[in-house]
Amino acid sequence: MLKLSHTGRPSDEIIAELEAKRAEDVRWADGRTFGMIYDGGPSVHEVAERAALLYLHENALNTKAFPSLGAIQSEVVGWTARLLHADAESAGFLTSGGTESILCAVLAARERGRNERQVTEPEMVVTETAHAAFHKAAHLFGIKLHKTPVQSDWTADLDAMADQINDRTVLVVGSAPQYPQGLIDPIPEIAALAAQVGAHCHVDACMGGFVLPFAEQLGRPVPPWDFRVEGVDSISADIHKLGYAPKGVSVILYRNRGLRRNQTFVFDDWLGGFYASPNLQGSRSGMPMATAWAVMQHLGLEGYCALTRDTLENADQMRAGIRNIEGLQVLGDSHYHLVAMASDSRTEHPPIDVFALGDALMRRGWYHDRQKPPDTLHSTVSNTNAGVIEEYLRDLEACVEETRGERAADRSTEYSTLE
Ligand SMILES: Cc1ncc(COP(=O)(O)O)c(C=O)c1O
């Protein structure tokens, strides 16, 4: 049984032990981790670390006590609204991350269905590529979830979605882009399906919210996905992904305050005073909110455009390199920062098992998420991987030659873990 030290320990000793503990962690600072970490570079670290120290202890539970955090929230939400082409009616909150933003949107859709259409047995429709957080939300909030197949290009199959929509549907979801293959669903059509029954339409842009606006400014083709699309009611966009703030901050944004009201909880019938809760948290660290504010200010639109240009060029280079290797393919025609690499059985060569390939890459220090079906090595490319793609592609080719014809015994996939 573990026992906490009785007398306490000096800080130098504690920090040294924490540093030692990290030895087995992925070496993201070397740029060899494709996902989980989003590294905006030294000046972004510096401003985030200074802001984090300032707000290490602050609590956004009560913005009367900490008005600066109220202002920080409304400014960050306002800047994000502008990026996503919402108008002055829009309203949102900061949350702890993509999952919490999604949970909030699903809860709001359920409450909206109850308030506007008296739906007491709510249902929702999502594609099989929609993030697992929607399933978690359905589980937590007692909503029946219909999961629909995607087409061969990995985008939503609208007929399959339409088949599941009925007068109990409170929510229809599209992703911009979806995580597994990085494709953008047909958002205008999905919004129109939701509108047919008066359901809420949420766009999950946790991954794309801080990429697509800049990709569009850079002249890349970006299909319609944001508040310019009629019928889009809410969008989740994570600042702690390609917004380059440290972990713990996302935006949930609604087209208007009336829609946002479905998310909030207020209560005044206990002995502790008026309780107003914007999201799923109680006490709320000011630290991620302040770092998001600082990083967004530091990068500005030009900074984000430059990071996005480099990231998308790196992702293009990665896709081209993979496509050049006989027996490998990139799933879907993604033009953004997510790359799904799978084996291509049409080759004359001995087949490549991407899980054996992933193990070989891991031995060289490259970390990918493994997913299925189909067996895939998944990369989220970001500025974290600036300058490493050529070396990666050389190692990829070498690992393909090493493992061609082999099959890994371990077929497990692990997006996330419990302990
Ligand atoms: C499309 C999409 N939605 C939601 C999430 C969940 O975000 P978080 O890990 O911040 O909870 C992710 C995470 O990668 C994602 O890619």
Side-chain angles (χ1 to χ4, degrees):
M1 195 65 172
L2 294 175
K3 214 163 140 204
L4 184 62
S5 94
H6 194 68
T7 51
R9 295 168 67 194
S11 54
D12 283 352
E13 199 181 304
I14 293 165
I15 298 302
E17 186 170 333
L18 279 177
E19 274 170 2
K21 268 188 195 300
R22 302 197 320 158
E24 297 301 310
D25 292 353
V26 290
R27 296 195 338 248
W28 61 267
D30 300 353
R32 290 174 168 247
T33 303
F34 292 105
M36 291 191 285
I37 299 287
Y38 306 90
D39 178 356
S43 70
V44 175
H45 291 186
E46 195 209 330
V47 75
E49 283 161 18
R50 291 175 67 182
L53 268 185
L54 271 184
Y55 277 87
L56 189 58
H57 304 287
E58 268 61 10
N59 190 347
L61 178 68
N62 188 326
T63 51
K64 291 224 169 93
F66 296 103
S68 67
L69 285 171
I72 281 173
Q73 171 165 256
S74 62
E75 284 162 24
V76 171
V77 168
W79 299 331
T80 308
R82 187 76 178 248
L83 282 177
L84 308 186
H85 295 95
D87 62 24
E89 302 290 301
S90 64
F93 291 116
L94 295 181
T95 70
S96 61
T99 297
E100 191 186 357
S101 288
I102 287 170
L103 294 178
C104 289
V106 175
L107 182 62
R110 188 192 73 179
E111 294 302 292
R112 181 181 174 193
R114 199 200 317 260
N115 296 339
E116 291 181 4
R117 293 161 52 221
Q118 293 73 51
V119 178
T120 52
E121 289 178 18
E123 300 185 8
M124 59 196 267
V125 182
V126 308
T127 63
E128 58 187 332
T129 49
H131 195 270
F134 289 100
H135 297 258
K136 179 174 175 174
H139 168 71
L140 288 175
F141 302 140
I143 302 174
K144 181 171 177 188
L145 183 149
H146 297 277
K147 185 180 73 170
T148 58
V150 289
Q151 308 182 106
S152 57
D153 68 358
W154 306 98
T155 65
D157 178 335
L158 295 165
D159 292 338
M161 292 186 100
D163 283 348
Q164 299 301 337
I165 291 175
N166 59 50
D167 54 13
R168 293 181 299 280
T169 307
V170 295
L171 173 66
V172 186
V173 172
S175 304
Q178 42 91 320
Y179 172 83
Q181 294 82 23
L183 276 297
I184 299 181
D185 286 322
I187 302 299
E189 291 78 2
I190 289 175
L193 284 179
Q196 275 174 17
V197 292
H200 190 93
C201 174
H202 180 75
V203 175
D204 177 9
C206 285
M207 262 299 174
F210 285 85
V211 173
L212 300 178
F214 309 113
E216 185 180 338
Q217 284 178 33
L218 291 167
R220 294 221 169 205
V222 178
W225 67 278
D226 62 14
F227 284 106
R228 284 170 289 182
V229 176
E230 199 187 324
V232 168
D233 295 309
S234 58
I235 297 181
S236 45
D238 292 357
I239 316 176
H240 72 190
K241 292 194 172 69
L242 285 95
Y244 291 107
K247 235 64 68 203
V249 60
S250 164
V251 176
I252 175 68
L253 190 65
Y254 294 87
R255 189 178 281 278
N256 58 52
R257 292 187 86 80
L259 290 172
R260 190 185 74 165
R261 205 165 300 126
N262 296 304
Q263 172 184 318
T264 51
F265 180 75
V266 289
F267 181 71
D268 200 13
D269 191 16
W270 69 315
L271 303 189
F274 183 72
Y275 178 86
S277 185
N279 57 23
L280 302 182
Q281 300 168 59
S283 280
R284 233 173 133 194
S285 172
M287 185 170 56
M289 300 166 70
T291 58
W293 189 91
V295 168
M296 288 179 78
Q297 286 276 9
H298 177 66
L299 284 171
L301 297 176
E302 280 183 11
Y304 277 118
C305 274
L307 290 176
T308 305
R309 186 181 45 242
D310 292 351
T311 294
L312 297 182
E313 283 174 9
N314 283 335
D316 287 344
Q317 193 187 353
M318 189 177 195
R319 276 185 282 267
I322 295 168
R323 288 188 175 119
N324 260 334
I325 298 177
E326 191 75 24
L328 282 181
Q329 62 172 323
V330 175
L331 300 178
D333 192 18
S334 165
H335 300 289
Y336 311 108
H337 55 298
L338 302 170
V339 182
M341 171 167 61
S343 72
D344 183 353
S345 54
R346 291 165 299 183
T347 174
E348 314 250 295
H349 290 68
I352 299 169
D353 170 24
V354 285
F355 290 167
L357 179 61
D359 292 342
L361 285 164
M362 184 87 112
R363 289 193 288 276
R364 291 175 187 237
W366 300 103
Y367 184 89
H368 297 271
D369 274 345
R370 293 151 62 115
Q371 67 186 32
K372 67 179 176 195
D375 294 351
T376 304
L377 293 182
H378 182 278
S379 301
T380 307
V381 180
S382 71
N383 188 64
T384 316
N385 317 108
V388 304
I389 301 296
E390 271 174 30
E391 187 191 352
Y392 170 76
L393 290 173
R394 276 198 303 277
D395 277 357
L396 179 66
E397 277 183 44
C399 290
V400 163
E401 290 325 311
E402 249 169 72
T403 61
R404 220 182 251 285
E406 266 178 29
R407 190 169 162 80
D410 180 4
R411 311 307 299 164
S412 62
T413 59
E414 222 159 54
Y415 174 88
S416 57
T417 53
L418 281 187
E419 278 154 11

